[in-house]
Amino acid sequence: MRRFSSRLSSHPGPRLAPRLAPRLAPRLLLTAVASAAALAAVPAAAHADTGPTRVPPSPFGSLDGLMDPGTFGGIGDGFGNLGDGGDRLTVSVTDSGTSSDGTHELKCGPAGGTHTDPAAACDRLQELDHSGQDPFAPVPKGTACTMQYGGDATAHITGTWHGRPVDATYKLTNGCEISRWHRMIPVLPATAS
């Protein structure tokens, strides 16, 4: 402290009163320490965790139209599916507590099949696709999910969507999986639980 005080009194600028220098030195030191601490905290605050980051959706929509029925002389869609080239899914549901349990076919483009509401289901898949979401993507690894149980219902969707193979499983074992299931209603039934 004494060296700091003596520098103040020997500073070539305006002279401080000799009795003011000893009082001012601790305050200047405290101000310098507080300023350094504040500056050190700025980068940490600037890069603070702002919550979960959104992972860019997979580019499954980029395959749209590449394998239309006319691509190979009108025979199939290039993935072994013969016929009109529309999207075809098999939706199997168990233990939902509804009349929708069982296996149902869903065709989109045009909507049809044995699904309970094929038009609404196809519209929902298109809505998710247009919003940049992959309706069949699993919950990303490392996602923090609430520990809640939504029931015994399970679903399995297989087939082809926008020219790519689909093999997705849905369940209600935690908050993330429950949200994922709800996002797929009416492709999947609203469960009784």
Side-chain angles (χ1 to χ4, degrees):
M1 284 278 211
R2 190 169 205 126
R3 288 168 67 197
F4 191 75
S5 305
S6 64
R7 280 194 214 156
L8 284 177
S9 59
S10 66
H11 188 267
R15 294 231 169 217
L16 297 173
R19 62 176 194 239
L20 183 58
R23 285 190 228 157
L24 188 57
R27 289 185 184 168
L28 287 175
L29 182 59
L30 180 61
T31 302
V33 169
S35 296
L39 288 174
V42 169
H47 299 288
D49 184 15
T50 57
T53 56
R54 179 164 158 70
V55 176
S58 65
F60 71 92
S62 64
L63 297 175
D64 293 352
L66 292 179
M67 296 296 181
D68 63 5
T71 302
F72 296 102
I75 303 174
D77 61 4
F79 289 95
N81 297 319
L82 301 176
D84 62 8
D87 299 315
R88 299 170 188 268
L89 299 170
T90 301
V91 181
S92 299
V93 179
T94 59
D95 299 322
S96 70
T98 69
S99 61
S100 296
D101 281 0
T103 300
H104 307 281
E105 297 298 320
L106 175 62
K107 298 176 187 175
C108 297
T114 59
H115 190 278
T116 56
D117 192 350
C122 292
D123 288 346
R124 181 61 182 153
L125 290 172
Q126 282 296 88
E127 181 182 313
L128 290 169
D129 179 35
H130 289 306
S131 69
Q133 299 178 52
D134 180 352
F136 308 107
V139 174
K141 290 186 187 284
T143 302
C145 302
T146 57
M147 298 305 293
Q148 64 190 78
Y149 184 72
D152 294 332
T154 60
H156 189 207
I157 301 176
T158 57
T160 304
W161 175 255
H162 291 298
R164 72 176 181 108
V166 172
D167 187 1
T169 301
Y170 299 81
K171 52 194 171 190
L172 302 170
T173 54
N174 61 46
C176 296
E177 293 290 351
I178 292 169
S179 294
R180 184 171 171 252
W181 183 295
H182 286 190
R183 188 173 54 245
M184 289 291 284
I185 294 172
V187 178
L188 299 178
T191 58
S193 52

